């Protein structure tokens, strides 16, 4: 637990660093909330009009003072107020997050359920046509951008079947599971396809490595059945790189799969950040990025803990 | 079959029941129009919002004193009638006694006065303020009359009042500071809920003075990808959509169940030259560029054919036939000769800025212009910018040339006064001062005779095209698409969705 405590202690420091970076970078982008709202009409404003808008958007102060004010609020659990939504940032994030979390989980579920068996299959049939087929599929999956697949799915569904996934809204799972699934399944497949391809490739190569290890040879020579060798002896160790990959990917997905959320018009975290950036809603951008960074840290921690569970040779606490 | 299987019978009964419930439920559902657009409103304050996407929503909720019909004539809204004094210095409105806000309170002359005072207050930061600077005072002699006393003759102010940026909001809401957080207007619809960048729910306003609506309300979904909008229409999941991308619009007529509404807009595509920078400060160079380009070819190649060649005037009532304007027919020989006269026979290099995706055809336009101008030795380097960056650069006038899509106005005065008169507040963008243009604008502002105004602005247009500070290219269309079950929509050149008040769903 020593290890866990140390990790948890570094969390606030990393988040502080992230907040400074976000704060500075969003303000380095040319254009401010005023031109974002008024567009070219901002040229019609008199200096007094502009000043009063700057007060409204909270950009009248120097950046460091804006940052200190924001940080002060943060310690009181206040991420600020969004100017587009006119509501507290944290409540907006909590509203959008379930969709993104569910989408990420679904995509990961698809990726693991497809990727691991395929990878193991390919590894045990190394060099045979079935291996080649899996590798081709994985290559295709990794090289197809998600927007191509997403648009293709929508196009095929609408042209040939006259249906499209219900876009633009989100029905929570507990409200109507069927409607929820019909909204999320296609975006999840879109995301899961590329993810599954990476999982396939990683689990295949990890499995090949493990299958040539001494302890596998020992198990085989003891007469353990081939299937049992693969699934019980080799797989847990082969899963370690898969867990690493999944952790990183899952972290990204929790940040919102921006393009897929855009194409399928899902009101998730990714679109929230994108809209916030284009409308220069500073408080919202800062809050979202901080939240995403926090998710990343938690996922990484879980990944490290999972290593220990999977491979007894790794002892986190006992260094 | 006498020996009816009871299970089959039960199943059949269930299906029949289900079908009949759907049949009964359908008309009630169909009375709400399901609409989609790709860009959502950015705020609810009608006085400070200027984005097209915001105006489209606010026009359904708020009302100005007067409004434009589909032919751009000024017609009653909150005001039932109005009159200019002979010297065009007093404008008197009589309000519609039926006009009331959606909470049932009547629209009073005090609300009108408070609204205009709010627009004129610099602290409000209303972008349309500059259109109303001639207002010296506002009188409210009785409970149906509002009198605007103007400091100078100002005929175009009436057209400026037909804009939602001059919407009448409740005086009580101004006092309470609630404009921008709650939308309380006197328009055809009430905003029940708004989830920014996701959806809006609007219901018919029973208190609307404009009459009854054939639909109960509108559910708006924000679908950021326009090919997804087309797919949703195709699948019948939405009834009506606003479309920006001409390429998507051209695909709509291929679908049997869909109808495209296409109307020429007031906004214009233009190549803005910066006459404060050499060699664009040389009239002959600017004219040479005007002669070198082929406007129809730009439309065909960059706008997938979706556009019409235009001169500076895009309002039909004021526009002349573009062929009568200076060098509107491509003439490369004349262009080369002009370049030679300017001492620029070997050409020059310049940078042209364009916004990414706004309009969707901006990059393609810049590329065609690049190719055409290369013919006379002008080498263009294209610099694409994110919209906010572009707007900032544009406002500073910090460019050699800019591919732009500028919004039009129903009256030429507010449309070009800001760019081409000495005290225009966008003079820093056009960088062009010309005495003739300046004096014609002033005449156009004071002239009350409509025929004489048209004549003045014809002169203005011819002179502007000849001076060529900018090269006007084309007007684009505004598009909406709908299922064929939707009837009665009237599109307008301003792009307003007010025509939805006439819509019925079959």
């Amino acid at each position: 637990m020593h290890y866990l405590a140390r990790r948890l202690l570094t969390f606030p420091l990393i988040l502080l660093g992230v907040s400074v970076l976000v704060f500075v970078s969003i303000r380095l982008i040319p254009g401010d909330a005023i031109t974002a709202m008024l567009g070219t009409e901002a040229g019609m404003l008199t200096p007094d009009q502009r000043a009063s808008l700057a007060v409204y958007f909270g950009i009248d102060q120097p950046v460091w003072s804006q940052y200190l004010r924001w940080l002060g609020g943060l310690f009181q659990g206040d991420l600020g107020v969004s100017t587009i939504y006119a509501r507290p940032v944290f409540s907006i994030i909590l509203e959008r997050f379930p969709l993104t979390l569910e989408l990420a989980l679904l995509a990961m579920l698809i990726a693991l359920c497809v990727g691991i068996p395929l990878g193991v299959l390919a590894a045990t049939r190394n060099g045979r046509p079935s291996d080649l087929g899996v590798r081709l599929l994985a290559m295709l999956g990794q090289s197809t951008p998600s927007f191509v697949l997403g648009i293709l799915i929508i196009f095929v569904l609408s042209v040939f079947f006259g249906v499209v996934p219900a876009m633009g809204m989100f029905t929570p799972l507990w409200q109507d599971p069927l409607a929820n699934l019909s909204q999320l399944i296609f975006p999840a497949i879109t995301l899961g396809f590329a993810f599954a391809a990476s999982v396939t490739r990683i689990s295949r190569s990890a499995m090949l490595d493990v299958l040539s290890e001494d302890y596998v040879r020992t198990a085989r020579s003891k007469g353990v059945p081939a299937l049992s060798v693969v699934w019980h002896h080799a797989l847990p160790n082969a899963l370690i790189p898969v867990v690493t990959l999944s952790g990183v990917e899952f972290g990204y997905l929790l940040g919102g799969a921006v393009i897929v959320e855009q194409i399928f018009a899902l009101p998730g975290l990714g679109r929230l950040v994108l809209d916030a950036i284009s409308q220069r809603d500073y408080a919202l951008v800062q809050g979202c990025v901080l939240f995403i960074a926090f998710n990343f840290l938690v996922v990484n921690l879980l990944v490290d803990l999972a290593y220990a569970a999977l491979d007894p040779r790794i002892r986190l606490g006992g260094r | 079959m006498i020996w009816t299987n009871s299970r089959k019978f039960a199943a059949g009964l269930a299906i029949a029941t289900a079908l009949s419930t759907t049949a009964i439920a359908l008309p009630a559902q169909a009375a709400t129009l399901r609409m989609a657009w790709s860009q959502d409103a950015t705020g609810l304050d009608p006085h400070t919002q200027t984005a097209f996407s915001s105006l489209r929503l606010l026009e359904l909720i708020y009302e100005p004193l007067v409004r434009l019909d589909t032919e751009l004539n000024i017609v009653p809204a909150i005001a039932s009638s109005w009159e200019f004094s002979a010297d065009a210095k007093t404008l008197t409105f009589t309000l519609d006694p039926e006009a009331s806000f959606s909470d049932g309170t009547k629209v009073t002359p005090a609300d009108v006065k408070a609204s205009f005072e709010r627009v004129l207050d610099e602290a409000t930061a209303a972008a349309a303020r500059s259109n109303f600077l001639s207002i010296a005072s506002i009188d409210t002699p009785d409970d149906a009359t509002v009198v605007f006393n103007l400091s100078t003759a100002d005929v175009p102010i009436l057209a400026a009042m037909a804009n939602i940026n001059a919407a009448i909001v409740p005086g009580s809401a101004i006092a309470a500071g609630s404009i921008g957080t709650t939308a309380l207007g006197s328009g055809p619809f009430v905003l029940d809920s708004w989830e920014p960048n996701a959806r809006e729910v609007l219901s018919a306003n029973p208190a609307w003075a404009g009459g009854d609506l054939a639909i109960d309300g509108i559910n708006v979904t924000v679908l950021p990808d326009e090919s997804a909008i087309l797919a949703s229409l195709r699948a019948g999941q939405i009834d009506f959509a606003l479309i920006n991308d001409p390429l998507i619009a051209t695909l709509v007529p291929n679908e049997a169940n869909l109808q495209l509404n296409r109307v020429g807009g007031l906004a214009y595509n233009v190549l803005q030259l910066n006459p404060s920078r050499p060699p664009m400060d040389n009239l002959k160079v600017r004219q040479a560029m005007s002669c070198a380009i082929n406007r129809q070819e730009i439309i065909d190649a960059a706008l997938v054919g979706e556009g019409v060649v235009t001169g500076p005037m895009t309002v039909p009532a004021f526009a002349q036939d573009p062929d009568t304007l200076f060098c509107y027919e491509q003439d490369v020989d004349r262009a080369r000769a002009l370049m030679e006269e300017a001492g620029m026979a070997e050409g020059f290099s310049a940078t042209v800025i364009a916004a990414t995706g706004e309009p969707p055809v901006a990059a393609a336009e810049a590329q065609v212009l690049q190719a055409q101008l290369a013919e006379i030795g002008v080498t263009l380097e294209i610099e694409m910018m994110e919209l906010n960056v572009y707007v900032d650069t544009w406002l500073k006038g910090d460019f050699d040339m800019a591919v732009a899509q500028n919004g039009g106005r129903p009256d030429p005065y507010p449309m070009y006064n800001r760019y081409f008169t000495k005290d225009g507040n966008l003079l820093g963008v056009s960088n062009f001062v010309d005495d003739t243009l300046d004096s014609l604008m002033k005449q156009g502002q004071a002239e009350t005779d409509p025929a004489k105004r048209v004549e003045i602005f014809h002169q203005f247009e011819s002179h502007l095209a000849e001076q060529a500070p900018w090269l006007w290219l084309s007007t684009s269309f505004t598009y909406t698409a709908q299922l064929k079950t939707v009837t009665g929509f009237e599109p307008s050149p301003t792009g307003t969705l007010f025509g939805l008040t006439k819509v019925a769903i079959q």
Side-chain angles (χ1 to χ4, degrees):
Chain A
M1 279 306 100
H2 188 179
Y3 172 80
L4 186 66
R6 226 173 30 211
R7 283 290 293 267
L8 286 176
L9 274 178
T10 57
F11 268 32
L13 289 175
I14 298 175
L15 289 179
L16 201 68
V18 168
S19 74
V20 173
L21 268 179
V22 180
F23 220 90
V24 172
S25 57
I26 179 83
R27 280 166 179 77
L28 279 180
I29 312 175
D32 55 25
I34 300 174
T35 40
M37 180 179 89
L38 292 175
T40 52
E41 300 291 326
M44 309 291 277
L45 295 177
T46 63
D48 282 352
Q49 287 182 304
R50 189 168 262 281
S52 91
L53 274 182
V55 172
Y56 172 76
F57 285 117
I59 49 175
D60 52 327
Q61 309 273 322
V63 176
W64 59 267
S65 119
Q66 287 178 43
Y67 180 72
L68 289 183
R69 205 196 300 175
W70 179 77
L71 200 66
L74 190 63
F75 281 120
Q76 291 153 33
D78 175 14
L79 284 175
V81 175
S82 151
T83 49
I84 2 179
Y85 292 78
R87 278 176 42 207
V89 166
F90 195 56
S91 75
I92 302 167
I93 293 177
L94 287 187
E95 216 170 77
R96 296 293 189 101
F97 187 57
L99 187 153
T100 301
L101 179 67
E102 196 189 333
L103 187 62
L105 282 172
L106 260 179
M108 189 156 90
L109 191 74
I110 292 172
L112 295 181
C113 289
V114 174
I116 295 178
L118 276 183
V120 171
L121 181 90
T124 53
R125 282 172 173 63
N126 188 14
R128 287 196 240 165
S130 52
D131 174 38
L132 198 70
V134 169
R135 278 158 67 190
L136 272 175
L137 193 72
M139 197 112 78
L140 191 73
Q142 277 199 310
S143 51
T144 310
S146 54
F147 68 88
V148 172
L149 189 65
I151 291 178
L152 203 67
I153 288 178
I154 294 178
F155 179 76
V156 168
L157 286 177
S158 76
V159 172
F160 297 104
F161 300 96
V163 287
V164 281
M167 291 186 284
M169 52 187 111
F170 175 59
T171 320
L173 188 64
W174 57 90
Q175 230 172 58
D176 185 349
L178 215 62
N180 172 276
L181 210 64
S182 75
Q183 279 163 10
L184 290 187
I185 191 68
F186 292 107
I189 289 174
T190 309
L191 283 172
F193 189 59
F195 192 175
S198 329
V199 170
T200 307
R201 293 183 61 155
I202 292 275
S203 55
R204 177 183 171 274
S205 64
M207 199 67 190
L208 278 176
D209 283 350
V210 173
L211 285 178
S212 62
E213 294 249 358
D214 287 345
Y215 69 92
V216 172
R217 214 172 30 235
T218 312
R220 282 207 170 117
S221 59
K222 280 199 317 195
V224 179
L227 261 182
S228 173
V229 169
V230 170
W231 291 103
H232 294 126
H233 292 71
L235 189 64
N237 283 316
L239 277 182
I240 287 178
V242 176
V243 169
T244 315
L245 172 84
S246 305
V248 174
E249 286 265 352
F250 191 64
Y252 279 123
L253 288 180
L254 283 187
V258 178
I259 292 173
V260 168
E261 284 179 7
Q262 189 82 354
I263 292 171
F264 287 93
L266 293 171
L269 211 53
R271 251 183 85 204
L272 186 68
V273 182
L274 196 69
D275 291 332
I277 292 174
S278 67
Q279 296 178 17
R280 301 288 190 271
D281 191 336
Y282 298 122
L284 193 54
V285 176
Q286 284 147 207
C288 286
V289 175
L290 205 66
F291 183 76
I292 292 166
F294 179 75
N295 285 338
F296 233 111
L297 291 175
V298 172
V299 171
N300 265 327
L301 183 69
L302 292 178
V303 167
D304 286 353
L305 294 177
Y307 285 163
L310 279 170
D311 190 339
R313 287 174 298 184
I314 300 176
R315 285 277 175 266
L316 292 175
R319 277 174 210 183
Chain B
M1 287 193 196
I2 309 163
W3 65 93
T4 309
N5 182 323
S6 64
R7 263 164 71 192
K8 260 187 190 164
F9 178 73
L13 193 66
I15 290 169
T17 319
L19 281 177
S20 60
T21 3
T22 330
I24 294 163
L26 262 177
Q29 283 169 352
T32 296
L33 187 78
R34 298 162 303 168
M35 181 161 88
W37 54 38
S38 59
Q39 278 169 320
D40 201 11
T42 53
L44 292 179
D45 185 339
H47 295 155
T48 60
Q49 294 292 318
T50 59
F52 285 125
S53 53
S54 298
L55 301 183
R56 294 301 86 90
L57 175 68
L58 295 172
E59 280 159 352
L60 299 175
I61 304 167
Y62 289 99
E63 278 182 317
L65 281 172
V66 287
R67 138 178 335 122
L68 299 167
D69 67 6
T70 53
E71 259 102 51
L72 302 181
N73 303 307
I74 294 167
V75 296
I78 285 178
S80 51
S81 65
W82 53 90
E83 195 176 28
F84 265 110
S85 63
D87 63 354
K89 282 189 164 182
T90 314
L91 178 56
T92 308
F93 287 96
T94 307
L95 303 191
D96 181 349
E98 298 289 312
S100 55
F101 294 108
S102 56
D103 65 354
T105 53
K106 277 188 62 175
V107 181
T108 63
D111 292 319
V112 176
K113 186 173 178 187
S115 297
F116 275 93
E117 278 169 354
R118 181 169 189 264
V119 169
L120 286 169
D121 182 359
E122 287 196 276
T124 311
R129 176 176 177 271
S130 56
N131 293 333
F132 301 111
L133 293 179
S134 62
I135 298 176
S137 64
I138 304 169
D139 295 334
T140 53
D142 56 52
D143 62 358
T145 312
V146 184
V147 183
F148 290 84
N149 302 304
L150 309 178
S151 56
T152 163
D154 192 356
V155 176
I157 198 173
L158 186 60
M161 284 176 175
N163 192 293
I164 205 69
N165 282 154
I168 305 308
V169 298
S172 56
I174 297 175
S178 64
I179 293 168
T181 49
T182 47
L184 179 58
S186 62
F189 293 94
V190 183
L191 184 66
D192 294 333
S193 74
W194 180 36
E195 223 177 285
N197 299 313
R199 64 176 141 177
E200 280 103 11
V201 179
L202 297 154
S203 61
N205 175 11
W208 187 46
D212 288 336
L213 302 174
I215 49 175
D216 294 341
I218 308 176
N219 285 345
V220 188
T221 312
V222 184
L223 297 179
D225 189 86
E226 292 208 346
S227 52
I229 290 186
L230 180 60
S232 293
L233 273 171
R234 210 185 254 141
Q237 272 189 0
I238 53 171
D239 303 304
F240 188 91
L242 201 61
I243 291 177
N244 290 314
D245 190 343
L247 195 60
I248 298 289
T250 54
L251 298 175
V252 174
N254 298 344
E255 305 294 327
N257 60 336
L258 300 186
Q259 182 192 326
L260 180 71
N261 306 307
R262 196 177 81 150
V263 61
L266 296 176
Y268 54 94
N269 297 307
V270 62
L271 177 66
Q272 292 182 208
L273 311 180
N274 184 345
S276 71
R277 289 191 184 176
M280 281 81 68
D281 57 347
N282 187 328
L283 173 65
K284 295 223 157 67
V285 170
R286 297 199 302 267
Q287 288 182 334
M289 290 175 70
S290 183
C291 295
I293 56 175
N294 184 333
R295 294 169 167 85
Q296 188 58 47
E297 194 180 276
I298 297 170
I299 293 171
D300 292 340
L303 279 70
V304 289
E306 293 288 289
V308 178
V309 172
T310 187
M313 292 296 158
T314 59
V315 187
F318 292 94
Q320 306 175 79
D321 179 0
D323 287 339
T324 63
L325 298 173
F326 176 81
C327 230
Y328 254 60
E329 198 71 33
Q330 186 187 30
D331 188 344
V332 180
D333 291 336
R334 190 172 172 194
R336 288 211 182 93
L338 281 163
M339 287 290 274
E340 209 157 311
E341 281 175 46
M344 279 278 159
E346 70 289 353
F348 63 94
S349 300
T351 306
V352 60
I353 60 167
T356 323
E358 188 60 46
V361 295
E365 249 183 282
Q367 284 161 6
V368 179
L369 283 163
Q370 187 183 41
Q372 291 183 352
L373 290 171
E375 293 281 306
I376 58 163
V378 179
T379 311
L380 287 190
E381 193 191 316
I382 300 170
E383 198 178 332
M384 299 300 298
M385 296 173 164
E386 192 258 340
L387 184 63
N388 280 305
V389 183
Y390 172 88
V391 168
D392 264 14
T393 316
W394 187 86
L395 284 176
K396 284 187 201 123
D398 183 17
F399 53 83
D400 295 340
M401 299 177 198
V403 169
Q405 185 176 55
N406 294 344
R409 298 284 164 91
D411 189 277
Y413 180 81
M415 187 157 161
Y416 287 119
N417 165 55
R418 44 190 183 162
Y419 295 112
F420 298 115
T421 59
K422 284 167 185 161
D423 48 6
N425 42 16
L426 289 177
L427 195 65
V429 175
S430 69
N431 281 300
F432 189 72
V433 185
D434 181 284
D435 291 332
T436 314
L437 293 180
D438 199 70
S439 83
L440 284 171
M441 261 294 156
K442 295 233 154 56
Q443 292 173 41
Q445 183 185 23
E447 181 59 63
T448 47
D449 178 359
K452 282 188 186 149
R453 289 195 86 214
V454 169
E455 201 176 299
I456 291 167
F457 286 116
H458 276 178
Q459 282 179 46
F460 178 86
E461 179 178 44
S462 303
H463 187 70
L464 192 55
E466 199 182 319
Q467 290 296 313
W470 297 355
L471 310 181
W472 277 261
L473 305 173
S474 59
T475 50
S476 8
F477 299 106
T478 57
Y479 308 95
T480 54
Q482 63 195 44
L483 295 186
K484 285 191 174 155
T485 49
V486 176
T487 54
F489 180 71
E490 289 175 356
S492 160
T494 59
T496 178
L497 295 180
F498 185 74
L500 287 177
T501 52
K502 308 255 170 67
V503 152
I505 305 170
Q506 286 170 347

